[in-house]
Amino acid sequence: MEHDNKNIEEQQPLSRHEQWELREAMSREHATCPDIDEQWHVVSERLGLADEQDLDTAGAVPMLRRPWVRWTVGIAATLALIVGYSYWTGQSTPVAHVDASAFAVNVPEEIDEVTVSTADGRNQPASGKQLKLDRPSDAPVQLMALSTPRGKDYHLTLADGTQVWLNAESRLEFPDHFTGDKREVRLQGEAYFEVKKDAKHPFIVYSDYLTTRVLGTAFNVRARSGKDASVTLVSGRVQVNSADASRVLTQGQQASLSGTQLAVNTVDTYPITQWKEGFFYFDNQTLIGIMRELARWYGVNVSFDDTSKMQVRLHFVVERGKSLQEALANLNALGVVRAEIEGNVVVIK
């Protein structure tokens, strides 16, 4: 007993966040893992492999049992992120679907830093940690776009006071101030919105997949592909519209796109929104899903020497501000897999 106590005393004390995280992990029910990324689906079909949900069936994919096969997921340079959602706090109201690819503001295709672009062709780095718009309401409306590269996110305060957290490899197009009876923005990628309440001026987020209409609430919009488009409602009540369906969400619900239909489930919103707080938070996530997100953020590819590890589910939390080496060291500390960096590839052994 004395020996055990001595070992406990010699251990490094948990940080405040680690202590809080441990309590959360012990008391929280596991959230459902989202669908696999569209890129995985496309490559799997091309190579004649099963989708991720089929890979955990023993013997389903004989090719994956060959020891010489190294499955490489080329994520960082190939992902196209387009997301949008329709929320509203009230009765269901038809909302026109608008193609978000028809952006009015041109932005550079490749950027290394958070960039602010304007409709007249100007591009400049976003200054500071948060962009806040402050122009006279009677000035001519200027359309703008905020774009983030991989590995960087950004906090934006719109002219009406709405708070927007834009995730990496995302883009938001918006006016420098709102006029008329609606507040409209267009989104590619992922963003978390805390909409300033205004009953007379609904807030609408357009994208290629979904349209979101709200009056004032907090929600997360995510769509890495057509199979990974979802809206998660943190508070309030919203309306989500796809091309063929419309659903009203209540707090703690998520609408996910399945073809043209919307499936609604109750979820734990905490893991879904922790990215805006500066954390990768994976709760009961498959390893392939975890590595997909890390690869996107750090700009690397991922290779699995041991493909049986793809479907292992983990609870894994790490700060987004840590280096790739630090993140992988934390992953390896779980004792489930061994991840090593070889050039620009993370190899799972």
Side-chain angles (χ1 to χ4, degrees):
M1 181 65 68
E2 293 180 357
H3 178 72
D4 292 340
N5 290 338
K6 183 178 179 181
N7 287 341
I8 292 174
E9 291 172 357
E10 290 177 349
Q11 291 178 357
Q12 293 295 324
L14 295 176
S15 68
R16 181 179 179 183
H17 176 78
E18 288 171 333
Q19 294 176 23
W20 184 81
E21 157 64 19
L22 181 59
R23 291 195 299 270
E24 286 292 312
M26 294 178 67
S27 62
R28 189 177 302 276
E29 293 184 359
H30 289 304
T32 301
C33 178
D35 290 339
I36 192 64
D37 188 91
E38 180 70 11
Q39 185 65 22
W40 169 268
H41 176 73
V42 171
V43 176
S44 297
E45 284 191 340
R46 183 165 63 234
L47 297 182
L49 303 178
D51 283 340
E52 181 188 6
Q53 60 265 30
D54 300 326
L55 295 181
D56 56 359
T57 303
V61 189
M63 177 180 179
L64 297 181
R65 295 201 300 267
R66 302 173 187 173
W68 51 266
V69 174
R70 171 174 285 184
W71 175 248
T72 300
V73 184
I75 302 171
T78 57
L79 291 176
L81 316 180
I82 304 176
V83 194
Y85 308 84
S86 170
Y87 310 131
W88 179 51
T89 57
Q91 298 293 324
S92 178
T93 301
V95 180
H97 182 72
V98 176
D99 186 356
S101 62
F103 283 101
V105 179
N106 293 321
V107 300
E109 292 186 2
E110 296 292 335
I111 57 175
D112 297 322
E113 54 190 339
V114 181
T115 302
V116 178
S117 306
T118 55
D120 57 8
R122 290 177 294 159
N123 298 288
Q124 64 184 53
S127 58
K129 296 183 178 180
Q130 177 180 352
L131 180 66
K132 186 171 183 178
L133 304 177
D134 186 16
R135 294 191 68 207
S137 59
D138 57 350
V141 175
Q142 182 178 25
L143 200 58
M144 309 176 70
L146 182 69
S147 306
T148 54
R150 65 175 61 101
K152 295 183 180 179
D153 48 28
Y154 200 77
H155 182 197
L156 167 68
T157 303
L158 298 178
D160 66 335
T162 291
Q163 305 288 311
V164 183
W165 286 261
L166 196 63
N167 208 345
E169 287 192 307
S170 299
R171 170 183 173 178
L172 184 74
E173 185 175 275
F174 55 93
D176 61 352
H177 65 275
F178 295 102
T179 59
D181 57 358
K182 293 180 291 186
R183 297 171 288 169
E184 299 174 297
V185 301
R186 284 177 169 79
L187 174 69
Q188 284 183 320
E190 182 173 13
Y192 180 89
F193 295 86
E194 289 184 358
V195 177
K196 186 75 171 181
K197 189 171 184 179
D198 185 346
K200 295 182 179 180
H201 302 88
F203 191 94
I204 302 175
V205 182
Y206 296 108
S207 80
D208 286 347
Y209 296 126
L210 301 166
T211 301
T212 305
R213 181 183 174 99
V214 308
L215 296 181
T217 188
F219 56 95
N220 192 80
V221 174
R222 173 183 171 90
R224 300 302 188 187
S225 70
K227 294 184 66 178
D228 190 25
S230 64
V231 179
T232 306
L233 181 60
V234 176
S235 66
R237 185 177 173 88
V238 302
Q239 180 187 334
V240 182
N241 285 11
S242 66
D244 299 326
S246 178
R247 300 294 296 272
V248 175
L249 302 184
T250 57
Q251 184 171 325
Q253 289 187 323
Q254 180 183 79
S256 55
L257 190 62
S258 177
T260 58
Q261 299 302 309
L262 290 171
V264 176
N265 296 287
T266 300
V267 298
D268 183 357
T269 63
Y270 183 86
I272 297 170
T273 59
Q274 277 301 287
W275 66 264
K276 78 179 184 68
E277 305 298 336
F279 292 93
F280 289 108
Y281 192 112
F282 304 105
D283 193 17
N284 195 31
Q285 273 271 26
T286 59
L287 183 59
I288 182 64
I290 292 173
M291 297 312 302
R292 180 186 62 225
E293 294 301 316
L294 295 181
R296 179 179 291 113
W297 179 261
Y298 291 107
V300 296
N301 291 325
V302 178
S303 173
F304 281 83
D305 276 352
D306 185 355
T307 55
S308 67
K309 300 294 186 181
M310 287 181 175
Q311 292 301 298
V312 173
R313 292 182 179 272
L314 300 172
H315 180 91
F316 176 57
V317 181
V318 65
E319 294 181 38
R320 286 156 68 100
K322 287 186 177 294
S323 66
L324 176 61
Q325 291 81 358
E326 291 174 310
L328 294 181
N330 289 358
L331 181 63
N332 291 336
L334 297 177
V336 179
V337 297
R338 183 69 188 172
E340 297 181 358
I341 303 174
E342 297 181 6
N344 194 44
V345 179
V346 175
V347 181
I348 307 298
K349 300 182 177 181

